[in-house]
Amino acid sequence: MPKHVDFYFALNSRYAYLASTQIAALEKECNAEVTWRPLDFDLLMVARKWDPFSGAPTSGQYDTKYRNIDAQRWADYYNIPLKPVVWEKYDWLRFNLAATEAAREAEGCAPFARSVYALVMGDRDAPDTESVISAAAKEAGLDPRRLIEASKSSDTKAKLHHAVTDAVALGVFGVPSFIVDGEVFWGNDRLALLRWRLTGKR
């Protein structure tokens, strides 16, 4: 029987993007079934009442220059594209709200999120927020208009807030995070430990 893993991610996280590219291999190699659970990085920082990116970096790992280099190293290691992210180009909360709506369908969230990541961080491009949502929805077999409307909906935002609150209660304090049998594995670089936990193999 496949082992169940919850994958907590946010579309405004490069490290969640990096981890997301390894999910298919993780499922295959570890006989695991991964559920994609969308959050929002900024809302998560508010919920945990501490944002390491607010003010001066609390340690070198949060320095912008270092993180740019580190993220590119991981992309090179995984042999995946990672372009410089133009954060001000998009409304990132709306992406996560659309993903929340996509998650209502069992097979909707993962392909939608993968397409958004490809468009905003990978080797593709789209001019604006709604173009990204529309293209990603079509590729995921979802109704673009429904996801666009959901990305502007107060009801969807309430659902996302609840998801963040529930995740924090489970011990999630950052993205990407993985939960297996109540154990939290935080960070793209913890994938090796997650594989060990799932297979018992080093």
Side-chain angles (χ1 to χ4, degrees):
M1 183 176 179
K3 304 174 184 70
H4 185 261
V5 179
D6 285 312
F7 170 44
Y8 289 87
F9 71 98
L11 292 168
N12 50 338
S13 165
R14 285 179 300 180
Y15 286 92
Y17 161 59
L18 292 166
S20 75
T21 66
Q22 306 305 300
I23 298 299
L26 181 82
E27 290 182 311
K28 183 178 180 180
E29 295 166 13
C30 302
N31 187 31
E33 184 179 80
V34 177
T35 299
W36 292 53
R37 300 198 177 277
L39 302 176
D40 178 82
F41 181 82
D42 296 322
L43 294 180
L44 182 59
M45 293 304 100
V46 170
R48 61 176 284 197
K49 298 181 174 63
W50 180 63
D51 182 351
F53 299 100
S54 178
T58 54
S59 76
Q61 70 175 320
Y62 296 110
D63 178 76
T64 300
K65 183 178 179 180
Y66 176 79
R67 289 178 74 80
N68 289 339
I69 294 170
D70 185 59
Q72 188 60 58
R73 284 174 180 156
W74 277 108
D76 293 343
Y77 177 72
Y78 289 150
N79 193 28
I80 61 169
L82 176 65
K83 64 188 175 189
V85 180
V86 185
W87 297 104
E88 64 274 15
K89 184 175 180 178
Y90 303 113
D91 185 332
W92 298 87
L93 175 59
R94 288 187 64 190
F95 292 154
N96 292 314
L97 289 167
T100 300
E101 177 67 16
R104 291 178 57 189
E105 299 185 28
E107 303 300 322
C109 189
F112 174 77
R114 287 192 181 104
S115 291
V116 172
Y117 277 137
L119 287 161
V120 299
M121 298 185 186
D123 56 1
R124 298 169 57 199
D125 194 27
D128 54 47
T129 299
E130 293 197 357
S131 296
V132 171
I133 294 173
S134 180
K138 289 175 184 175
E139 290 169 12
L142 302 171
D143 180 358
R145 284 182 292 184
R146 177 167 67 88
L147 265 62
I148 288 172
E149 288 306 308
S151 75
K152 299 183 284 187
S153 165
S154 58
D155 288 343
T156 310
K157 192 168 186 179
K159 290 176 184 176
L160 181 56
H161 273 284
H162 284 305
V164 169
T165 300
D166 291 346
V168 171
L170 292 171
V172 173
F173 56 87
V175 287
S177 284
F178 302 86
I179 295 185
V180 181
D181 293 333
E183 293 184 56
V184 178
F185 295 79
W186 168 65
N188 165 69
D189 53 346
R190 299 320 195 280
L191 280 167
L193 294 177
L194 177 60
R195 283 190 171 91
W196 183 32
R197 170 65 174 78
L198 292 170
T199 65
K201 298 177 182 178
R202 281 179 166 75

